[in-house]
Amino acid sequence: MAKKKNTHAAQDWNYSASPESTSHIQLKEKYELFIGGKFVKPSSGKYYKTINPANEQVLAEVAYGNEKDIDSAVKAARKAYNEVWSKMPGKERAKYIYRIARLMQEQSRELAVIESLNSGKTIRESRDIDIPLACNHFFYYAGWADKLEYAYPNRKIEPLGVAGQIIPWNFPVLMAAWKIAPALAAGNTVVLKPAETTPLTALKLAEIIQQSGLPDGVVNIVTGFGDTGAAIVNHNDVNKIAFTGSTNVGKIIQKAIAGTSKKCTLELGGKSANIILEDAPIDQAVEGIINGIFFNQGHVCCAGSRLYVQESVADKVVAKLKHRMSTLIVGDPMDKNTDIGAINSKEQLATIEKYIKIGINEGAEMHQVDCSVPKNGFYCKPTIFTNVAQSSKIAQEEIFGPVLTIQTFRTVDEVIQKANNSPYGLAAGVWTDKGSRIFNLTSKLDAGVIWANTYNKFDPTSPFGGFKESGFGREGGLHGLGGYLKLS
Ligand code: NDP
């Protein structure tokens, strides 16, 4: 009898390329500053090039705003605050915020593509997470604008005035939404600076804001570098600073505004513990580990970058994790199959690579996925370290890339001590079958947000923020609104 051929072995299971179309995107050659409801040239006349980190190609030139431009933006915001926005009834403010949300939804495909082109994040994430969440923040806070007296009964409620907002490059449009939506709902006007590497969706948002008919000067968007951000922080007619970014810059900001009446919220770095107990559903936990560290290339302040696995299941978890990592697709962010896109910048890639070397020199054992990455652009293969000491740099410092440290523990008390042994306190994850263990752990972990049997779940109604060197103040939910109000 003739032997049947094993056809399965010969099959190629690779995905075919599935690139998102960019034909509907019309990027301008040059972007100006958005001040007083108009696009205006920077007073220095200087522009800088913004690139696509996936292939290093220049996307556009963007205005470099300086102190003088920040002064014009603050003046426009103050005028809009005094003459229009602070006097407008909440129900009218709500209509504008709602309109911005609807326009963002209508142009969500454009926003998602521009976000992926400029940041290196996968189109799947920008399309399914960043943009819908950003729209939801505007919808959610539109709902609060006319209900402030119900949110804070029997209190005198006043807006703060002009809010200066500085955002990072890891979630460009989402961070803009987190900051602008509650500020407007509370009756403040805004001067916002996007990160130097990812200005394009904030400028697209400026176009949407213009289309919405929002009164001139209520939102001003000034692109530039660190000194542009510093000019906002140091301007004496700004009433509130809202910053998301590195702990170092957070410290500079705190020093700069010490002794002034400026209010401040800081959302800084993290080194969050993701804890797997022996009774956890292991397959789901492995998905949670993958999502915790590899979502957005690990450029996530609350990334589950320190994994703690109970000793009795450690070998099983690490084996399953390595297997799951081998299925991750690393490469072109615009391909709908891609799981891990490009690192945001050459500088950030150098930082990540520096930490990988430190980990190896510290004696930890590295495992990296054996995959090919595109020649041009900035890419880092998903990386995990085992045999990591609690004191090692890679377990203590924020790497902000797809790099995970793995440690083991025997008892719950031990893991609480280890998890809390960090200068940061932003987030944590707990995986277990028992509700009582969840309550025990979550009440003892020093973290602003703790997820149980899930990770990286965000919702506009839910406050987010940290303790210790992860900053202070909350964004999202009612707490996020309170940060933009004077309550007496
Ligand atoms: P930064 O903290 O430098 O940047 C965040 C924002 O602050 C950007 O808009 C930046 O402008 C601006 N900025 C820089 N210097 C000043 C200043 N003196 N005053 C006011 N604003 C300023 O983060 P980096 O981009 O340099 O990233 C460095 C590290 O920070 C990362 O490796 C990561 O560990 C961490 N990080 C953490 C984030 C988080 O969400 N927790 C987000 C981003 C980074 P510009 O972009 O023009 O420099």
Side-chain angles (χ1 to χ4, degrees), residues 265-281:
T265 42
L266 299 178
E267 202 267 274
L268 310 174
K271 191 79 186 174
S272 301
N274 203 1
I275 300 170
I276 318 291
L277 295 165
E278 60 192 355
D279 64 344

Side-chain angles (χ1 to χ4, degrees), residues 67-139:
E67 223 171 299
K68 220 169 148 195
D69 301 308
I70 292 297
D71 187 50
S72 309
V74 173
K75 284 195 173 116
R78 177 61 62 193
K79 187 167 184 282
Y81 178 77
N82 288 341
E83 295 177 8
V84 189
W85 201 244
S86 65
K87 292 185 178 153
M88 192 183 279
K91 67 175 196 241
E92 296 304 317
R93 287 203 308 274
K95 288 180 194 167
Y96 285 107
I97 305 169
Y98 189 74
R99 203 176 297 157
I100 294 169
R102 292 284 294 151
L103 286 164
M104 284 177 78
Q105 260 186 338
E106 278 170 29
Q107 296 170 51
S108 59
R109 191 147 165 245
E110 220 174 325
L111 279 165
V113 170
I114 300 174
E115 192 76 317
S116 282
L117 286 174
N118 202 196
S119 72
K121 66 171 68 210
T122 65
I123 188 68
R124 206 155 44 84
E125 286 173 9
S126 349
R127 185 196 58 196
D128 298 346
I129 300 171
D130 294 49
I131 310 303
L133 255 179
C135 298
N136 285 348
H137 271 267
F138 279 100
F139 278 124

Side-chain angles (χ1 to χ4, degrees), residues 462-485:
S462 175
F464 182 90
F467 295 112
K468 301 197 280 188
E469 293 210 0
S470 293
F472 51 80
R474 296 290 178 264
E475 291 185 302
L478 201 52
H479 297 67
L481 200 58
Y484 287 97
L485 288 169

